[in-house]
Amino acid sequence: IPAATDLHVHLRDWTQAEKETVESGTKSALAGGVTTVADMPNTVPKLETAELVAARVQLLRDRSFVDFAIHAAPPVEPSELKKIRRAGAFALKLYPPDLPSFRRLLKGASRAGLKMAVHAEDEKMLAGDRSPDAELVAVRKVLGEVGPRSQVRFAHLSTSEAAHAVLAKKQSHPGLTIEVAPHHLFMDSRTSVARIGEASRVNPQLRSQANSRVMRGLLKEGCFDFYATDHAPHTLKDKLTKGAPGFPGLELALPLFLTRTENVPLLCRMFCEAPAAYLGTKKGKISPGYSADLVVLSRRRWRIDPEKFVSKARVTPFGGEEMRFAIDQVFMRGSTVYREGRFVTQPARLVR
Protein backbone atom coordinates (compact mmCIF):
# COMPACT_ATOMS: atom_id res chain seq x y z
CA ILE A 1 0.00 0.00 0.00
CA PRO A 2 1.15 3.65 -0.15
CA ALA A 3 3.17 4.86 2.81
CA ALA A 4 1.27 7.02 5.28
CA THR A 5 1.41 10.76 5.94
CA ASP A 6 0.71 11.73 9.55
CA LEU A 7 -0.61 15.27 9.97
CA HIS A 8 -0.33 15.39 13.76
CA VAL A 9 2.96 14.41 15.41
CA HIS A 10 4.79 15.81 18.45
CA LEU A 11 8.50 15.14 17.99
CA ARG A 12 9.68 17.01 21.13
CA ASP A 13 13.55 17.16 21.23
CA TRP A 14 15.38 20.36 22.28
CA THR A 15 14.73 20.72 26.04
CA GLN A 16 12.41 17.66 25.97
CA ALA A 17 14.80 15.13 24.47
CA GLU A 18 14.15 12.74 27.36
CA LYS A 19 10.59 12.35 26.02
CA GLU A 20 11.47 12.01 22.33
CA THR A 21 14.07 13.16 19.83
CA VAL A 22 13.64 13.84 16.15
CA GLU A 23 15.64 10.69 15.48
CA SER A 24 13.64 8.39 17.77
CA GLY A 25 10.31 9.88 16.70
CA THR A 26 10.93 9.65 12.97
CA LYS A 27 12.36 6.15 13.26
CA SER A 28 9.14 5.31 15.09
CA ALA A 29 7.27 6.76 12.10
CA LEU A 30 9.12 4.50 9.67
CA ALA A 31 8.44 1.46 11.83
CA GLY A 32 4.75 2.40 11.56
CA GLY A 33 4.75 2.82 7.78
CA VAL A 34 4.81 6.65 7.87
CA THR A 35 7.20 8.53 5.55
CA THR A 36 5.96 12.10 6.12
CA VAL A 37 5.11 13.75 9.45
CA ALA A 38 3.71 17.18 10.32
CA ASP A 39 5.41 18.36 13.50
CA MET A 40 3.41 20.31 16.09
CA PRO A 41 4.57 23.66 17.53
CA ASN A 42 4.12 23.19 21.30
CA THR A 43 7.80 22.44 21.69
CA VAL A 44 9.92 24.09 24.39
CA PRO A 45 10.40 26.81 23.27
CA LYS A 46 7.24 26.86 21.17
CA LEU A 47 7.44 27.75 17.50
CA GLU A 48 6.01 31.28 17.61
CA THR A 49 8.74 33.17 15.73
CA ALA A 50 10.29 32.86 12.31
CA GLU A 51 13.69 32.26 13.91
CA LEU A 52 12.43 29.28 15.90
CA VAL A 53 10.63 27.84 12.88
CA ALA A 54 13.85 28.10 10.87
CA ALA A 55 15.78 26.40 13.68
CA ARG A 56 13.19 23.61 13.79
CA VAL A 57 13.42 23.11 10.04
CA GLN A 58 17.20 22.80 10.28
CA LEU A 59 16.97 20.33 13.15
CA LEU A 60 14.64 18.08 11.17
CA ARG A 61 16.73 18.37 8.01
CA ASP A 62 19.73 17.20 10.00
CA ARG A 63 18.12 14.41 12.02
CA SER A 64 14.80 13.27 10.55
CA PHE A 65 14.47 9.86 8.91
CA VAL A 66 11.29 10.94 7.08
CA ASP A 67 10.02 13.95 5.16
CA PHE A 68 8.40 16.60 7.32
CA ALA A 69 6.16 19.65 7.53
CA ILE A 70 6.03 22.24 10.31
CA HIS A 71 3.08 23.75 12.16
CA ALA A 72 3.76 27.12 13.81
CA ALA A 73 2.20 28.60 16.92
CA PRO A 74 0.45 31.99 16.73
CA PRO A 75 3.09 34.72 17.01
CA VAL A 76 2.89 37.60 19.43
CA GLU A 77 3.07 40.03 16.51
CA PRO A 78 0.69 39.33 13.59
CA SER A 79 3.29 40.76 11.20
CA GLU A 80 5.39 37.65 11.94
CA LEU A 81 2.99 35.37 10.05
CA LYS A 82 4.48 36.00 6.62
CA LYS A 83 7.98 35.59 8.03
CA ILE A 84 6.95 32.31 9.65
CA ARG A 85 5.65 31.09 6.30
CA ARG A 86 8.91 32.03 4.57
CA ALA A 87 10.88 30.28 7.33
CA GLY A 88 9.25 26.98 6.39
CA ALA A 89 5.94 26.55 8.26
CA PHE A 90 2.97 25.34 6.24
CA ALA A 91 0.24 25.84 8.85
CA LEU A 92 -0.77 27.63 12.02
CA LYS A 93 -1.93 25.45 14.94
CA LEU A 94 -4.33 26.98 17.46
CA TYR A 95 -4.79 25.66 20.99
CA PRO A 96 -7.69 26.50 23.36
CA PRO A 97 -6.07 29.72 24.69
CA ASP A 98 -5.75 30.98 21.09
CA LEU A 99 -9.41 30.52 20.14
CA PRO A 100 -10.66 33.95 21.29
CA SER A 101 -8.41 35.36 18.55
CA PHE A 102 -9.56 32.82 15.96
CA ARG A 103 -11.06 35.23 13.43
CA ARG A 104 -8.04 37.55 13.41
CA LEU A 105 -5.60 34.64 13.19
CA LEU A 106 -7.55 32.96 10.40
CA LYS A 107 -7.48 36.16 8.36
CA GLY A 108 -3.77 36.66 8.96
CA ALA A 109 -2.91 33.03 8.20
CA SER A 110 -4.85 33.17 4.94
CA ARG A 111 -3.00 36.30 3.84
CA ALA A 112 0.32 34.68 4.72
CA GLY A 113 -0.46 31.48 2.81
CA LEU A 114 -0.67 29.35 5.96
CA LYS A 115 -3.22 26.60 6.52
CA MET A 116 -5.08 26.50 9.84
CA ALA A 117 -5.47 23.62 12.30
CA VAL A 118 -7.55 23.97 15.46
CA HIS A 119 -7.60 22.13 18.79
CA ALA A 120 -11.24 22.93 19.51
CA GLU A 121 -11.97 22.97 23.23
CA ASP A 122 -13.34 25.94 25.16
CA GLU A 123 -10.65 26.94 27.65
CA LYS A 124 -13.17 28.15 30.24
CA MET A 125 -14.69 24.65 30.40
CA LEU A 126 -11.48 22.67 30.81
CA ALA A 127 -11.21 22.70 34.59
CA GLY A 128 -11.83 19.44 36.41
CA ASP A 129 -12.97 16.58 34.22
CA ARG A 130 -12.73 18.44 30.87
CA SER A 131 -16.37 18.04 29.92
CA PRO A 132 -17.01 16.78 26.38
CA ASP A 133 -19.24 19.84 25.99
CA ALA A 134 -16.04 21.93 25.89
CA GLU A 135 -15.33 20.52 22.44
CA LEU A 136 -18.82 21.09 21.08
CA VAL A 137 -18.94 24.68 22.39
CA ALA A 138 -15.58 25.52 20.81
CA VAL A 139 -16.46 23.84 17.52
CA ARG A 140 -19.70 25.83 17.28
CA LYS A 141 -17.85 29.09 18.00
CA VAL A 142 -15.32 28.38 15.26
CA LEU A 143 -18.04 27.35 12.82
CA GLY A 144 -19.80 30.63 13.50
CA GLU A 145 -16.73 32.60 12.41
CA VAL A 146 -15.61 30.76 9.26
CA GLY A 147 -16.42 31.95 5.77
CA PRO A 148 -17.51 29.80 2.80
CA ARG A 149 -13.92 29.62 1.54
CA SER A 150 -12.19 29.16 4.89
CA GLN A 151 -9.66 26.33 5.10
CA VAL A 152 -9.79 24.99 8.66
CA ARG A 153 -8.80 21.54 9.90
CA PHE A 154 -10.38 20.37 13.13
CA ALA A 155 -7.65 18.36 14.84
CA HIS A 156 -8.40 15.14 16.77
CA LEU A 157 -12.17 15.57 17.04
CA SER A 158 -13.29 13.26 19.82
CA THR A 159 -17.08 13.56 20.16
CA SER A 160 -19.80 12.54 17.75
CA GLU A 161 -21.76 15.72 18.53
CA ALA A 162 -18.88 17.94 17.43
CA ALA A 163 -18.30 15.78 14.36
CA HIS A 164 -21.94 16.09 13.32
CA ALA A 165 -21.77 19.87 13.74
CA VAL A 166 -18.77 20.12 11.41
CA LEU A 167 -20.30 17.69 8.91
CA ALA A 168 -23.44 19.83 8.69
CA LYS A 169 -21.38 22.98 8.06
CA LYS A 170 -19.18 21.23 5.48
CA GLN A 171 -22.11 21.06 3.08
CA SER A 172 -21.75 24.80 2.45
CA HIS A 173 -18.12 25.19 3.56
CA PRO A 174 -16.11 22.52 1.73
CA GLY A 175 -12.78 23.82 3.06
CA LEU A 176 -13.53 22.44 6.52
CA THR A 177 -11.88 19.10 7.30
CA ILE A 178 -12.01 16.62 10.16
CA GLU A 179 -9.02 14.78 11.59
CA VAL A 180 -9.55 11.82 13.94
CA ALA A 181 -7.05 9.94 16.12
CA PRO A 182 -6.69 6.21 16.84
CA HIS A 183 -7.40 6.52 20.57
CA HIS A 184 -10.70 8.35 20.09
CA LEU A 185 -11.89 5.80 17.56
CA PHE A 186 -10.65 2.54 19.05
CA MET A 187 -10.34 3.17 22.80
CA ASP A 188 -12.72 4.39 25.51
CA SER A 189 -12.15 5.95 28.90
CA ARG A 190 -13.32 3.01 31.00
CA THR A 191 -11.13 0.46 29.24
CA SER A 192 -8.11 2.75 29.32
CA VAL A 193 -8.39 3.47 33.03
CA ALA A 194 -8.73 -0.25 33.74
CA ARG A 195 -5.52 -0.88 31.82
CA ILE A 196 -3.22 2.03 32.67
CA GLY A 197 -5.03 4.00 35.37
CA GLU A 198 -3.99 7.61 35.89
CA ALA A 199 -1.77 7.49 32.81
CA SER A 200 -4.92 7.55 30.63
CA ARG A 201 -4.97 11.32 30.33
CA VAL A 202 -5.02 12.75 26.80
CA ASN A 203 -6.39 16.02 25.39
CA PRO A 204 -9.16 15.86 24.30
CA GLN A 205 -10.00 13.15 26.81
CA LEU A 206 -11.01 9.64 25.94
CA ARG A 207 -14.77 9.33 25.77
CA SER A 208 -17.46 6.75 26.52
CA GLN A 209 -17.90 3.41 24.77
CA ALA A 210 -21.14 4.71 23.25
CA ASN A 211 -19.39 7.75 21.78
CA SER A 212 -16.61 5.60 20.34
CA ARG A 213 -19.18 3.35 18.65
CA VAL A 214 -20.83 6.33 16.98
CA MET A 215 -17.44 7.70 15.88
CA ARG A 216 -16.58 4.32 14.32
CA GLY A 217 -19.92 4.37 12.55
CA LEU A 218 -19.10 7.78 11.05
CA LEU A 219 -15.67 6.43 10.13
CA LYS A 220 -17.23 3.51 8.27
CA GLU A 221 -19.53 5.91 6.42
CA GLY A 222 -16.51 7.86 5.15
CA CYS A 223 -17.37 11.04 7.08
CA PHE A 224 -13.84 11.89 8.21
CA ASP A 225 -11.03 13.35 6.12
CA PHE A 226 -7.81 12.43 7.92
CA TYR A 227 -6.56 9.76 10.29
CA ALA A 228 -3.65 11.11 12.35
CA THR A 229 -1.93 9.78 15.43
CA ASP A 230 -1.49 12.84 17.66
CA HIS A 231 1.70 11.00 18.65
CA ALA A 232 2.49 12.60 22.02
CA PRO A 233 5.50 11.03 23.76
CA HIS A 234 6.02 11.38 27.51
CA THR A 235 8.06 9.60 30.14
CA LEU A 236 6.25 7.26 32.52
CA LYS A 237 7.16 9.60 35.39
CA ASP A 238 5.55 12.58 33.65
CA LYS A 239 2.43 10.55 32.88
CA LEU A 240 2.02 9.39 36.46
CA THR A 241 3.19 12.40 38.48
CA LYS A 242 2.42 15.37 36.24
CA GLY A 243 -0.60 14.06 34.33
CA ALA A 244 1.12 14.66 31.00
CA PRO A 245 -1.53 14.21 28.28
CA GLY A 246 -1.12 11.96 25.25
CA PHE A 247 0.09 8.61 23.94
CA PRO A 248 2.62 7.40 21.38
CA GLY A 249 0.82 6.25 18.24
CA LEU A 250 3.15 6.13 15.26
CA GLU A 251 4.02 2.43 15.44
CA LEU A 252 0.53 1.11 16.03
CA ALA A 253 -1.86 3.42 14.13
CA LEU A 254 -1.71 1.65 10.75
CA PRO A 255 -1.99 -1.98 11.93
CA LEU A 256 -4.61 -0.96 14.52
CA PHE A 257 -6.83 0.64 11.87
CA LEU A 258 -6.65 -2.41 9.62
CA THR A 259 -7.12 -4.88 12.48
CA ARG A 260 -10.24 -3.08 13.69
CA THR A 261 -11.78 -2.27 10.29
CA GLU A 262 -10.27 -4.62 7.66
CA ASN A 263 -10.82 -1.65 5.32
CA VAL A 264 -7.67 -1.11 3.26
CA PRO A 265 -9.21 1.43 0.83
CA LEU A 266 -10.46 3.62 3.69
CA LEU A 267 -7.06 3.52 5.42
CA CYS A 268 -5.32 4.46 2.17
CA ARG A 269 -7.67 7.41 1.65
CA MET A 270 -7.49 8.80 5.19
CA PHE A 271 -3.89 8.03 6.17
CA CYS A 272 -2.13 8.13 2.81
CA GLU A 273 -3.80 9.89 -0.12
CA ALA A 274 -5.83 12.66 1.55
CA PRO A 275 -3.16 13.94 3.98
CA ALA A 276 -0.49 13.88 1.26
CA ALA A 277 -2.78 15.88 -1.04
CA TYR A 278 -3.47 18.30 1.84
CA LEU A 279 0.28 18.93 2.09
CA GLY A 280 0.62 19.18 -1.68
CA THR A 281 3.00 16.22 -2.03
CA LYS A 282 2.99 13.58 -4.74
CA LYS A 283 2.63 10.77 -2.25
CA GLY A 284 -0.19 8.58 -1.00
CA LYS A 285 -1.02 6.81 -4.26
CA ILE A 286 0.57 3.99 -6.23
CA SER A 287 0.41 5.68 -9.61
CA PRO A 288 2.73 7.07 -12.31
CA GLY A 289 4.17 10.42 -11.27
CA TYR A 290 3.90 9.69 -7.54
CA SER A 291 6.79 9.05 -5.19
CA ALA A 292 7.47 5.36 -4.56
CA ASP A 293 6.79 5.66 -0.82
CA LEU A 294 5.39 2.23 -0.08
CA VAL A 295 4.62 -0.14 2.77
CA VAL A 296 4.74 -3.93 2.50
CA LEU A 297 2.29 -5.58 4.89
CA SER A 298 1.70 -9.18 5.85
CA ARG A 299 -1.23 -10.83 7.56
CA ARG A 300 0.23 -12.23 10.76
CA ARG A 301 -0.65 -12.01 14.41
CA TRP A 302 1.41 -10.08 16.96
CA ARG A 303 0.77 -8.21 20.19
CA ILE A 304 1.50 -4.56 20.89
CA ASP A 305 4.39 -4.43 23.37
CA PRO A 306 5.21 -0.83 24.35
CA GLU A 307 8.60 -1.93 25.70
CA LYS A 308 9.61 -2.76 22.14
CA PHE A 309 8.63 0.62 20.69
CA VAL A 310 11.27 2.54 18.76
CA SER A 311 9.77 5.67 20.27
CA LYS A 312 11.03 6.64 23.71
CA ALA A 313 7.41 6.75 24.89
CA ARG A 314 6.10 3.53 26.44
CA VAL A 315 2.65 4.31 27.84
CA THR A 316 -0.38 3.29 25.76
CA PRO A 317 -3.78 1.79 26.58
CA PHE A 318 -3.39 -0.47 23.53
CA GLY A 319 -0.57 -2.50 25.09
CA GLY A 320 -1.20 -6.24 24.83
CA GLU A 321 -3.78 -6.02 22.05
CA GLU A 322 -3.43 -8.53 19.23
CA MET A 323 -2.91 -7.13 15.74
CA ARG A 324 -3.58 -9.04 12.52
CA PHE A 325 -1.47 -6.89 10.17
CA ALA A 326 2.26 -6.32 10.41
CA ILE A 327 4.62 -3.90 8.64
CA ASP A 328 7.49 -5.78 7.01
CA GLN A 329 9.18 -3.19 4.80
CA VAL A 330 8.98 0.52 4.03
CA PHE A 331 10.23 2.29 0.89
CA MET A 332 10.85 6.01 0.47
CA ARG A 333 11.42 7.30 -3.05
CA GLY A 334 11.94 3.74 -4.21
CA SER A 335 14.62 2.78 -1.68
CA THR A 336 14.21 0.57 1.38
CA VAL A 337 14.34 2.69 4.54
CA TYR A 338 12.95 0.16 7.04
CA ARG A 339 13.06 -3.62 7.19
CA GLU A 340 12.99 -6.01 10.14
CA GLY A 341 13.90 -3.35 12.67
CA ARG A 342 16.71 -1.85 10.61
CA PHE A 343 16.68 1.76 9.37
CA VAL A 344 18.37 3.41 6.41
CA THR A 345 18.72 7.19 6.19
CA GLN A 346 17.61 9.27 3.24
CA PRO A 347 17.83 13.05 2.99
CA ALA A 348 14.71 14.43 4.65
CA ARG A 349 12.70 16.94 2.64
CA LEU A 350 10.71 19.87 3.97
CA VAL A 351 7.10 20.00 2.78
CA ARG A 352 5.82 23.57 2.66
Side-chain angles (χ1 to χ4, degrees):
I1 65 171
T5 291
D6 193 335
L7 292 178
H8 200 136
V9 173
H10 299 267
L11 291 176
R12 310 299 183 196
D13 214 307
W14 284 347
T15 63
Q16 298 176 304
E18 76 282 0
K19 296 174 181 281
E20 191 83 284
T21 63
V22 167
E23 179 176 344
S24 65
T26 55
K27 281 184 174 179
S28 177
L30 282 184
V34 175
T35 60
T36 305
V37 298
D39 192 26
M40 285 293 163
N42 61 333
T43 50
V44 180
K46 65 180 179 180
L47 305 183
E48 60 183 357
T49 68
E51 290 76 16
L52 285 168
V53 169
R56 193 70 178 176
V57 169
Q58 191 58 54
L59 175 70
L60 269 73
R61 278 186 172 139
D62 291 342
R63 301 182 186 178
S64 179
F65 277 67
V66 301
D67 294 340
F68 61 93
I70 302 287
H71 291 85
V76 175
E77 296 295 332
S79 60
E80 278 279 301
L81 286 169
K82 290 185 178 180
K83 295 178 182 178
I84 281 173
R85 176 73 177 116
R86 289 195 295 268
F90 87 100
L92 203 61
K93 170 67 184 298
L94 305 193
Y95 289 87
D98 305 313
L99 294 185
S101 302
F102 171 78
R103 182 177 295 179
R104 174 180 61 80
L105 289 169
L106 178 63
K107 185 176 181 180
S110 178
R111 287 178 174 175
L114 290 162
K115 295 181 183 294
M116 174 75 80
V118 175
H119 176 153
E121 286 188 287
D122 188 282
E123 188 180 27
K124 296 177 182 178
M125 302 174 67
L126 295 183
D129 63 355
R130 295 181 77 99
S131 165
D133 291 338
E135 182 173 87
L136 181 59
V137 167
V139 164
R140 285 176 171 167
K141 287 181 179 178
V142 170
L143 293 177
E145 295 184 345
V146 297
R149 297 182 181 180
S150 296
Q151 303 287 317
V152 177
R153 179 174 111 241
F154 287 90
H156 49 46
L157 274 194
S158 66
T159 62
S160 58
E161 293 85 356
H164 278 114
V166 179
L167 289 169
K169 192 77 169 185
K170 283 183 70 171
Q171 296 179 26
S172 58
H173 293 63
L176 305 180
T177 52
I178 298 174
E179 167 198 305
V180 286
H183 42 277
H184 293 129
L185 293 172
F186 305 123
M187 183 55 59
D188 63 85
S189 56
R190 179 179 296 180
T191 302
S192 183
V193 169
R195 291 179 178 180
I196 60 174
E198 294 298 319
S200 293
R201 183 181 170 191
V202 61
N203 296 335
Q205 284 192 341
L206 295 174
R207 308 302 186 187
S208 67
Q209 293 178 349
N211 179 79
S212 295
R213 280 195 297 271
V214 177
M215 290 290 281
R216 290 194 297 273
L218 293 172
L219 174 75
K220 185 177 180 180
E221 293 171 13
C223 294
F224 301 137
D225 299 283
F226 309 120
Y227 178 66
T229 62
D230 189 12
H231 176 84
H234 296 286
T235 64
L236 177 60
K237 179 180 178 180
D238 282 351
K239 289 290 291 179
L240 294 178
T241 64
K242 298 180 181 179
F247 311 118
L250 283 165
E251 292 167 62
L252 57 82
L254 192 156
L256 178 65
F257 190 106
L258 290 180
T259 296
R260 294 293 188 90
T261 70
E262 294 274 339
N263 194 329
V264 175
L266 184 60
L267 172 86
C268 289
R269 179 178 70 78
M270 291 182 60
F271 203 27
C272 308
E273 184 175 356
Y278 177 78
L279 291 179
T281 65
K282 298 293 283 186
K283 292 190 180 189
K285 294 174 67 175
I286 301 176
S287 181
Y290 282 75
S291 178
D293 285 36
L294 308 168
V295 176
V296 179
L297 299 170
S298 61
R299 278 187 175 269
R300 55 184 168 85
R301 296 179 183 272
W302 61 282
R303 291 192 180 276
I304 296 173
D305 181 356
E307 292 304 312
K308 295 181 179 179
F309 281 173
V310 179
S311 170
K312 290 187 176 186
R314 300 285 189 267
V315 183
T316 172
F318 293 106
E321 290 204 9
E322 185 179 78
M323 299 291 100
R324 297 193 300 272
F325 292 81
I327 295 164
D328 292 335
Q329 191 171 0
V330 181
F331 295 84
M332 193 160 76
R333 292 186 276 279
S335 297
T336 298
V337 287
Y338 173 80
R339 186 173 187 174
E340 297 177 347
R342 296 190 298 272
F343 300 89
V344 178
T345 59
Q346 276 225 9
R349 297 177 180 176
L350 170 66
V351 178
R352 54 185 303 178

